[in-house]
Amino acid sequence: MTFLDPKQQKEIMDLLILSLEGEASYEDMYKLREILNSSSEARDYYLKAVIASECIRRIDWDAKDFEIESDLYEGISIQMWKALSLEEKSAPTIEIPASVKEREENEKPNEIRKAGPKTSKLSIYSLLLSSAALIFLIVYAYFVPPGRGIEAATLTDSMNAKWADAASSMDKGTRMVTGNDRWLLREGYAELLFDNQARITLEGPVEFQILAEDRIGLNYGKVYARVPEAAVGFSVYTQNAKIIDLGTEFGVHAEIGGNTQVHVLKGKTMLMAGKTDRVNMEVSQGSAKKISGETGKISEIGCRSDYFVRVINSKSNRIWRGQNKFNLADLIGGGNGFGAGRFDFGINPVTGELVSRETANRPAKNDYKVVPQNPFVDGVFVPNGSTKQIISSSGHVFQECPITQGIYFTEILNTPDPLDGQRILLGDIHYGINGNTCLFMHANLGVTFDLDAIRLQLPGTQLVRFQSRIGISDTALRDSNADFWVLIDGKVRYKREQVQQKGLLDTLDIELSDTDRFLTLAVTDGGDPDARELPDGFIRRSIDCDWGIFGNPVLILE
């Protein structure tokens, strides 16, 4: 590598000091520009001199931060000179006075001249903006830890969050600043939106620093980043690695023991790690790496799609870890779609309220009731088919709804406890154990889910399919007769009428498009007459033992 001799270094330093002190003349700035254009060694030395002068001025800069930032030097210097080149091309032409040209021609090549008198301030400032000032601003933006603090991110949401500094107000909308201060989220979750539109989710316990509007330092804990195209280059720093976004969604776990894990769920990242031999490598979608805190060695590990909290929503008290199945029965039980719902709990089809199970034959008007307590459930109804059957808050109509007796026996339920001593069974699956859930819809009942509301809670995902097993429970006590319906925006996508056999009927796999809004599930009574008398004198209702089951009803996410 070529180095500048001491005389050249002194010349650059003298001119730098004059410019920083505001004493540089036009000739001084022109000379500095010529020197910087002469060689990469001169530019490197000038850049380091600017950094050094700024470090001296800001003596609260700790060594650790300097090490982190200085690692960027090589890459940033290339960007800096590209920016300077662009500025050069677009900058207005500046005429050099004839007297200056004559003096330059008469000067000896190695002659060092004392700073001369100032010329026009406008001329000096024009040159300053096109060279030294531009360099300084870029250096300042990338290298100088802003001790005074620059606002760079906003706290957009939090759930059950407990911050280390209880005296600080950490409400939604709080602006977070760069600097040496470390933020400690002891428990709970928080979401930050950086000014460059990168969005990150933090899971406590986690300690971090805001380094810049496109960088976060992670001392320990988990962070998940969703980076739009406009924010490509967003970076996460740990004690032994740097992860630079190349258009991604990725998670980073900085373990307290010093190890770092990187899981890339979409796109790819650049990983920079290693203690003695620095390694730069791309980590692509579906891959994960572990960097040893002791040796810096990089090893391949399994990429876990549910390892990080990706999305939080304090209004609905929901978090999402990237699961690819959203359970509709769980929603009916007051859950979040991922297993938090209560069994034997559901929605009253007449009032739209969340309630525990009741059992009694009850008549109902043909009304559509919205469910304000559950943002994902648009509404519920008891179909009778004798009048126009509204099945969504947007007025969609169930045109093919058969005429029914307009009575129902129990609520729309999430996985009821054993009925008449019998656990719900459909085919070979008992519901309520081993993670199996069901939507219990004893005729006559209907429910409509708002797919757009679900999409809003899971940004970056697509709802691609609805899947479920359907049939009349094997454990129904007597003969049954029921109809099964699935509708999208009022249009029938599946129907089976007058189903009398017990057990598994079908396995549904219905494709969904991005424009589909309302998913409606319904069970009707099969057209049986009501209050009919059997030979043994028993009076049967039209809905007797119509134990309609949607087993493990889920939306598939991508």
Side-chain angles (χ1 to χ4, degrees):
M1 179 177 179
T2 305
F3 295 92
L4 294 179
D5 62 49
K7 190 174 182 179
Q8 291 174 307
Q9 293 178 7
K10 184 178 185 303
E11 185 176 23
I12 292 174
M13 187 61 74
D14 287 344
L15 292 170
L16 172 61
I17 292 172
L18 285 173
S19 67
L20 294 177
E21 293 296 324
E23 297 296 326
S25 67
Y26 177 91
E27 290 87 349
D28 295 326
M29 296 310 302
Y30 187 82
K31 184 64 175 177
L32 178 59
R33 182 174 179 174
E34 290 295 305
I35 294 172
L36 296 180
N37 285 334
S38 67
S39 70
S40 61
E41 291 78 21
R43 293 192 292 270
D44 288 345
Y45 182 81
Y46 178 81
L47 182 59
K48 291 173 181 176
V50 173
I51 296 172
S53 65
E54 186 62 18
C55 289
I56 293 171
R57 188 178 71 81
R58 304 169 73 90
I59 60 174
D60 62 337
W61 188 5
D62 64 60
K64 180 179 179 181
D65 286 339
F66 178 79
E67 181 180 354
I68 290 175
E69 297 300 329
S70 63
D71 281 344
L72 284 176
Y73 171 75
E74 182 176 355
I76 298 305
S77 64
I78 295 172
Q79 296 178 32
M80 180 182 66
W81 294 111
K82 285 183 179 179
L84 183 58
S85 174
L86 291 174
E87 174 66 19
E88 178 78 17
K89 292 178 181 179
S90 60
T93 302
I94 300 174
E95 294 295 332
I96 300 175
S99 59
V100 175
K101 291 183 178 180
E102 292 173 0
R103 280 200 298 270
E104 286 184 348
E105 291 173 357
N106 294 329
E107 284 178 354
K108 295 179 181 180
N110 294 325
E111 181 180 355
I112 298 179
R113 177 190 51 76
K114 294 183 179 179
K118 294 182 181 178
T119 59
S120 164
K121 287 186 177 180
L122 181 59
S123 299
I124 294 174
Y125 292 154
S126 295
L127 261 183
L128 196 67
L129 286 173
S130 65
S131 57
L134 176 63
I135 296 170
F136 185 82
L137 288 174
I138 296 174
V139 170
Y140 187 88
Y142 278 94
F143 286 92
V144 179
R148 289 191 296 267
I150 298 173
E151 291 184 350
T154 303
L155 178 65
T156 51
D157 202 359
S158 64
M159 282 180 56
N160 308 317
K162 293 184 180 180
W163 298 87
D165 186 1
S168 298
S169 176
M170 295 299 290
D171 299 325
K172 293 180 187 178
T174 297
R175 292 288 284 162
M176 305 188 77
V177 300
T178 59
N180 296 323
D181 291 340
R182 292 175 178 167
W183 304 84
L184 175 56
L185 178 64
R186 294 192 184 280
E187 56 183 82
Y189 312 96
E191 180 188 77
L192 304 183
L193 178 63
F194 279 73
D195 289 352
N196 70 346
Q197 299 307 300
R199 190 179 298 273
I200 68 167
T201 305
L202 299 152
E203 181 179 358
V206 58
E207 184 181 73
F208 63 97
Q209 294 171 275
I210 307 294
L211 301 177
E213 69 169 10
D214 61 352
R215 277 171 285 167
I216 184 171
L218 185 62
N219 298 318
Y220 63 83
K222 290 182 180 180
V223 60
Y224 188 81
R226 289 182 283 129
V227 185
E229 184 177 351
V232 167
F234 182 85
S235 304
V236 177
Y237 290 71
T238 69
Q239 294 181 15
N240 62 353
K242 292 184 295 188
I243 301 91
I244 303 172
D245 159 77
L246 299 176
T248 59
E249 288 191 26
F250 65 98
V252 178
H253 182 195
E255 301 174 15
I256 293 179
N259 297 333
T260 296
Q261 295 185 37
V262 183
H263 297 248
V264 180
L265 282 303
K266 292 183 180 180
K268 59 184 177 180
T269 65
M270 176 63 71
L271 170 63
M272 303 172 68
K275 289 193 172 182
T276 55
D277 297 324
R278 200 69 164 175
V279 176
N280 298 346
M281 67 168 60
E282 285 190 358
V283 185
S284 300
Q285 179 173 322
S287 299
K289 305 290 183 182
K290 184 175 183 178
I291 303 93
S292 169
E294 294 183 359
T295 65
K297 182 180 178 181
I298 301 174
S299 57
E300 186 82 21
I301 59 175
C303 184
R304 295 176 55 184
S305 61
D306 60 351
Y307 191 53
F308 298 89
V309 173
R310 302 194 201 182
V311 179
I312 66 172
N313 188 296
S314 59
K315 289 184 178 179
S316 57
N317 196 36
R318 288 172 169 84
I319 65 172
W320 180 51
R321 291 186 175 273
Q323 302 95 319
N324 67 348
K325 292 183 179 180
F326 191 83
N327 191 299
L328 299 180
D330 185 69
L331 285 186
I332 294 298
N336 57 12
F338 301 112
R342 292 165 52 187
F343 285 175
D344 215 32
F345 190 77
I347 303 175
N348 184 302
V350 174
T351 65
E353 297 175 334
L354 305 183
V355 294
S356 298
R357 169 164 56 106
E358 296 181 15
T359 54
N361 291 309
R362 290 164 280 180
K365 295 180 181 180
N366 187 22
D367 293 334
Y368 183 77
K369 290 293 183 180
V370 296
V371 182
Q373 293 174 275
N374 191 326
F376 299 145
V377 178
D378 183 68
V380 291
F381 57 98
V382 177
N384 68 24
S386 59
T387 57
K388 185 167 69 172
Q389 188 65 60
I390 304 296
I391 59 171
S392 81
S393 57
S394 293
H396 291 95
V397 177
F398 184 2
Q399 299 283 6
E400 297 183 41
C401 182
I403 294 176
T404 77
Q405 298 298 325
I407 57 175
Y408 73 100
F409 182 70
T410 190
E411 284 66 34
I412 302 168
L413 295 171
N414 171 31
T415 318
D417 290 336
L419 299 175
D420 296 324
Q422 299 291 322
R423 185 175 295 280
I424 297 299
L425 173 67
L426 186 61
D428 56 350
I429 295 179
H430 280 97
Y431 291 93
I433 59 175
N434 300 324
N436 292 302
T437 63
C438 72
L439 185 56
F440 184 74
M441 298 185 67
H442 191 302
N444 293 293
L445 294 173
V447 57
T448 298
F449 298 93
D450 188 340
L451 302 181
D452 277 356
I454 296 172
R455 291 183 181 104
L456 285 174
Q457 300 299 315
L458 304 172
T461 66
Q462 288 183 297
L463 309 182
V464 296
R465 316 193 75 77
F466 166 64
Q467 294 180 346
S468 179
R469 294 158 57 96
I470 65 169
I472 295 173
S473 175
D474 296 78
T475 48
L477 299 179
R478 291 175 292 276
D479 293 339
S480 305
N481 183 26
D483 312 316
F484 290 84
W485 307 87
V486 178
L487 301 93
I488 303 291
D489 294 334
K491 297 180 179 180
V492 175
R493 297 287 291 273
Y494 174 88
K495 68 177 180 180
R496 287 290 295 269
E497 297 177 278
Q498 296 187 329
V499 177
Q500 299 179 18
Q501 75 272 20
K502 300 175 187 178
L504 180 62
L505 175 64
D506 273 324
T507 298
L508 302 183
D509 187 7
I510 297 175
E511 185 175 352
L512 300 174
S513 73
D514 292 339
T515 58
D516 292 337
R517 171 73 187 276
F518 296 107
L519 169 65
T520 301
L521 309 179
V523 177
T524 52
D525 61 22
D528 289 334
D530 193 37
R532 61 190 185 278
E533 184 176 353
L534 299 182
D536 59 3
F538 185 80
I539 304 299
R540 294 282 299 274
R541 304 301 302 264
S542 63
I543 59 174
D544 187 59
C545 285
D546 290 347
W547 292 14
I549 305 297
F550 286 82
N552 291 321
V554 295
L555 299 175
I556 303 300
L557 311 177
E558 285 186 358

